[in-house]
Each structure stands twice: as C-alpha cells, then as structure tokens.
Amino acid sequence: MFETLREILASKLKVAPGLITEEATREEAELDSLAVVELSMLLEKEYGITISDDELMEAENIGEMARMMAERRPAAA
C-alpha cells in the first residue's frame, strides 16, 4: 500500500516525491492538517478505505499510514 499512498500524495496532494518515504513523518513530508483531511476523504471516496483524519494525524510516519490502509482496505469481491 505504500506505493499507492506515495502515488496519492504525489499526484493528488502535490507532495514532492523525494519527501515521501516510509520513515518520513507528516512534518517531513510537508503534510499539514488540511492535507491529512483531504487524504482521508480521498481514501474513502476512491479506495473505499475508511481512516479518520485524526487517526492519520496520530500515525508516526508515512509507513504507518500505509499499514493502516492495508489493514482497512475492502476485501476483493
């Protein structure tokens, strides 16, 4: 899911790809609270993954956000 998250952050939220690593914190990736809210909505709308912006804000790093996505993605039908 990390590659999916990287793509979303780079293409939709305009985060510089060089800033997106699994170890990067939100601050290091320049994700402010508004971007996190937008990410939460994008995940729900486009991927059917429900993660609140509060949960994303509490993630220690980008890798943890990707793990949350993997845990919550809908099972393939």
Side-chain angles (χ1 to χ4, degrees):
M1 290 302 312
F2 174 70
E3 290 304 320
T4 301
L5 180 55
R6 174 190 289 232
E7 177 65 27
I8 294 167
L9 293 175
S11 66
K12 307 257 192 234
L13 300 180
K14 308 299 182 216
V15 175
L19 298 177
I20 306 168
T21 65
E22 290 194 48
E23 297 79 28
T25 63
R26 268 187 319 97
E27 293 80 14
E28 291 167 344
E30 298 179 355
L31 286 174
D32 61 15
S33 56
L34 184 60
V36 171
V37 169
E38 200 172 336
L39 174 60
S40 175
M41 293 188 313
L42 275 168
L43 291 174
E44 174 79 42
K45 182 178 169 195
E46 296 187 18
Y47 299 91
I49 300 173
T50 303
I51 305 175
S52 74
D53 51 293
D54 288 337
E55 290 173 295
L56 290 170
M57 291 292 282
E58 290 172 9
E60 285 184 26
N61 53 38
I62 303 295
E64 190 174 328
M65 290 180 183
R67 283 188 290 284
M68 281 190 231
M69 289 170 59
E71 290 167 3
R72 298 180 193 203
R73 71 177 169 213

